[in-house]
Structures are given as C-alpha cells and as structure tokens.
Amino acid sequence: MIEFRLLVDEIDYEKLARFLAPLLADKMKEKGGVAALLGGRQEAMTTMALQMIKVMGQAERDELLLRLVSEKSDMLVKKVNKTAAKKAVGVHVTSITAQKV
C-alpha cells in the first residue's frame, strides 16, 4: 500500500461549494431550520450553501471542509474509484482523510 499526501494552500471555496453542494445540503438539512423548510430542493440548497460560504471566515470554511471530508469520506472514496475505473486508471483508493496543518 502507498500513501500519497497532498498539501493544499489555496482553495476556491465558491467552486468547491458548487461541487460539494449535495454534501453541504445534506449537512444543512440535518441541522433543520431554514434548510429543512426548503424541502431538499437542490437549487435552493446550493444557493443557500454558496451564501453561507461567502459569509464565513477562512477558519470556518476550512473547518467545514475538514468535517465534510471526515463525515463523507466513504462516499468520496467511491466517487474517486468510480472515476478512476471510468478513465481506466489502474488505482483503487481505500481512504481519504484531511487535517489542518
């Protein structure tokens, strides 16, 4: 087994939020409130997630990303492996983790 380590120092959170909107929407629905009132409508949840990202400070955005990766790592692993198989890349990822350094 080989472990790869990627260090990321710049993140476009708006683009990342659009990509991760389904995960963020699920997280927001779990908390209830306004998100629950939207009834899980993807477009509304994405808009709300983007607004949330814009008003957060950098530390809050980083923490949110770390929590999402931690909580949804199994789903992320499946997506990476599915994409690798589709592109005929001979790799199988077993875990994805993230931590602040």
Side-chain angles (χ1 to χ4, degrees), residues 4 33 100:
F4 288 93
K100 188 155 181 120

Side-chain angles (χ1 to χ4, degrees), residues 9 13-14 16-17 24 33 38 44 46 67 70 72-73 77 80 100:
D9 69 350
Y13 279 97
E14 188 170 329
L16 186 61
L24 195 50
L38 295 174
T46 299
R67 279 196 321 261
S70 175
K72 305 295 184 177
S73 64
V77 165
V80 167
K100 188 155 181 120

Side-chain angles (χ1 to χ4, degrees), residues 24-86:
L24 195 50
D26 287 346
K27 184 105 182 120
M28 289 165 40
K29 278 192 285 187
E30 289 172 11
K31 290 187 176 187
V34 176
L37 294 175
L38 295 174
R41 290 190 353 240
Q42 191 61 43
E43 293 168 17
M45 296 300 286
T46 299
T47 299
M48 189 172 168
L50 289 171
Q51 290 304 316
M52 188 176 94
I53 291 290
K54 286 180 183 178
V55 299
M56 291 175 124
Q58 186 64 42
E60 291 174 302
R61 287 183 240 179
D62 291 345
E63 184 59 35
L64 176 62
L65 180 58
L66 292 175
R67 279 196 321 261
L68 284 172
V69 170
S70 175
E71 293 172 9
K72 305 295 184 177
S73 64
D74 290 343
M75 191 263 327
L76 292 169
V77 165
K78 287 177 186 174
K79 284 188 177 274
V80 167
N81 287 329
K82 182 178 178 182
T83 301
K86 188 167 84 173

